[in-house]
Amino acid sequence: MNDIISWLNGYVWSPILVYLLLGIGLIYTVLTRFVQVRFFKEMVKLVFEGGGSKAGINSFQSLTMSLGGRIGTGNVAGVATAISLGGPGAVFWMWLAAFFGSATSFVEIALTQVYKSKIGGEYRGGTPFYIDKGVKLKWFAVISAILTLIVMGFLWPGVQANTVALSIQEAFGVSPMLTGTLVVIVLGAIIFGGTKRIAKYTEIVVPFMSVAYILVCLITLTLNFSSIPGVISLIFTSAFNLSSTFGGLMGAAIAWGVQRGVYANGAGLGSETFESGCVEVSHPAKQGLVQAFSVYIDTFLICTSTAFMILITGMYDVKPVGMEPVTNKLGDVAPSLYTQLALESVIPKFGAAFLAIALLFFCFTTILSYYYKAETNLAFLKHKLRIKSVWPNHILKVILMATVLYGSLKSAETVWAMGDLGTGAMAWVNLTVILLLSKTALKVFEDYERQKKEGKDPIFEPAKLGIKGADFWEEEYRGIEEDIPTEKKPLSM
């Protein structure tokens, strides 16, 4: 099975996709005149604007749901794996992918809002929706929804579960079977409670666990403050083949830095579009800016903290695929445990246990977000295929729980390969579509910028911009105020 998955990944993750992710981000950065820099203050402000209703959630809940999906294995084990396979220079390319990716994220989230729908009394949106309404290819939209359903319900959850199981076993000696079983039981209790319960859970847990993790990282960095300049130098020299130890790894650094970077922050994959589809805003660009900001939080705060801890403590090996190990200090230790070893080396008898618990919360919240995304794609398919039965939803929940248990027991190599396959497949679909809809996204951005310059709280009116297919804004948006309590209205009409 590993051989088949590796063979498929060789095609899906060709160098073309790596440079496409960087190149498209660069294009949108230029076309929006560095939206991720010029609108930074606006991003922060918009996070706390607006209120939810019976049909949707607010921007802060969406941000925490999205971060709940982003902050997890990718930020801890993913960063460690990038360093293991591409050397310290992979961190630089992860930064670059995030900077350009924030512009890509703005585009895909703005499109999500433009083409969102109201299904079953709840707002829904994401890649299949803007394929269906924007590109007007129903068959392609159905394929996208099925692909995302497979990735979120089967390929990605195992990565999170595996990381949790390994870290708990390392810290407390608990068997992966027991860990996996307990996670499945709690997961079932929450996902059978519906979307609103997921939003409420992440709204509370994500900020708390993110701050706690960053604080512990800061303690580690403070205790090794004098080593930080050397680590920064190592990252940059390794990124451009200037390091005496890690020279010759530039290609691997680019490939794994970008690949693990987009897995962590989701920019360009379409994986982070689904939470944004259920947010109530007066203009699509608002939510685009909120999610562009979440890429910064994910990569420049969480991923960077992880990378610095690993590199400062020296708790890593570099073993590029198809090459002899560059360093082999830790032996056969899985890269997903590097961060745990780094913390334990600085804070003995606390670091490993803390990270195991942190990962439990990180990864569990991520699995919840996967369920929400899978459910959104299932709702799209049921709507398009006119299926009214609730049984597909129950089957999805059972499959997700089974996948979590399966991932807890399999090898890290297998589940990561499966996750990479899903990441690459989603990227090819989503990048193709947003390129086709670039003109629409840029119209939305220019309209938002114009209204801001006029001193207005921007309101989206697609007909005035010549945008077709935005039926939510044409038919339903005027009725949103009736659902929103007066004190929480984002604007007055």
Side-chain angles (χ1 to χ4, degrees), residues 46-274:
L46 289 170
V47 168
F48 303 100
E49 179 180 290
S53 73
K54 291 181 292 184
I57 63 176
N58 60 42
S59 293
F60 182 72
Q61 287 176 320
S62 170
L63 178 69
T64 56
M65 284 179 71
S66 182
L67 286 175
R70 285 180 163 122
I71 300 174
T73 294
N75 304 81
V76 180
V79 172
T81 305
I83 292 172
S84 173
L85 297 173
V91 178
F92 169 81
W93 296 103
M94 190 176 288
W95 288 339
L96 194 66
F99 179 74
F100 291 144
S102 61
T104 305
S105 184
F106 169 83
V107 168
E108 63 187 357
I109 301 304
L111 290 171
T112 296
Q113 276 286 325
V114 169
Y115 297 111
K116 68 181 181 181
S117 298
K118 191 173 184 179
I119 301 175
E122 293 186 345
Y123 301 133
R124 301 280 191 173
T127 305
F129 293 84
Y130 53 74
I131 294 176
D132 183 42
K133 295 183 179 182
V135 185
K136 299 188 184 304
L137 291 175
K138 180 180 176 180
W139 63 269
F140 193 24
V142 169
I143 289 175
S144 172
I146 293 173
L147 172 64
T148 306
L149 194 57
I150 293 171
V151 172
M152 299 300 172
F154 182 68
L155 297 180
W156 280 6
V159 179
Q160 306 294 329
N162 183 266
T163 301
V164 170
L166 285 178
S167 62
I168 294 292
Q169 184 178 41
E170 176 73 16
F172 305 111
V174 178
S175 72
M177 173 61 81
L178 179 57
T179 300
T181 301
L182 292 175
V183 169
V184 165
I185 291 171
V186 179
L187 175 65
I190 294 180
I191 63 177
F192 276 95
T195 303
K196 287 288 186 176
R197 183 177 293 183
I198 296 173
K200 287 294 182 183
Y201 173 87
T202 56
E203 185 178 24
I204 297 170
V205 174
V206 172
F208 172 77
M209 68 184 188
S210 300
V211 170
Y213 182 71
I214 291 172
L215 284 175
V216 172
C217 291
L218 288 175
I219 291 172
T220 304
L221 298 180
T222 301
L223 293 174
N224 295 274
F225 184 77
S226 60
S227 302
I228 292 178
V231 166
I232 294 174
S233 174
L234 178 63
I235 290 172
F236 279 90
T237 55
S238 299
F240 297 101
N241 277 357
L242 301 177
S243 168
S244 58
T245 305
F246 303 108
L249 294 180
M250 185 173 176
I254 296 173
W256 289 107
V258 173
Q259 186 169 336
R260 288 291 178 257
V262 298
Y263 177 76
N265 63 50
L269 305 182
S271 60
E272 306 310 314
T273 59
F274 303 102

Side-chain angles (χ1 to χ4, degrees), residues 275-314:
E275 296 91 344
S276 294
C278 60
V279 179
E280 292 178 347
V281 287
S282 64
H283 197 286
K286 288 186 175 183
Q287 191 57 25
L289 291 171
V290 169
Q291 291 302 321
F293 178 61
S294 74
V295 174
Y296 282 165
I297 296 175
D298 175 89
T299 303
F300 292 110
L301 273 180
I302 311 294
C303 289
T304 299
S305 298
T306 300
F308 274 41
M309 278 198 306
I310 292 172
L311 295 175
I312 281 176
T313 59

Side-chain angles (χ1 to χ4, degrees), residues 7 9 214 241 266 319 474 493:
W7 176 74
N9 271 323
I214 291 172
N241 277 357
K319 300 177 179 179
E474 295 286 358
M493 298 293 289

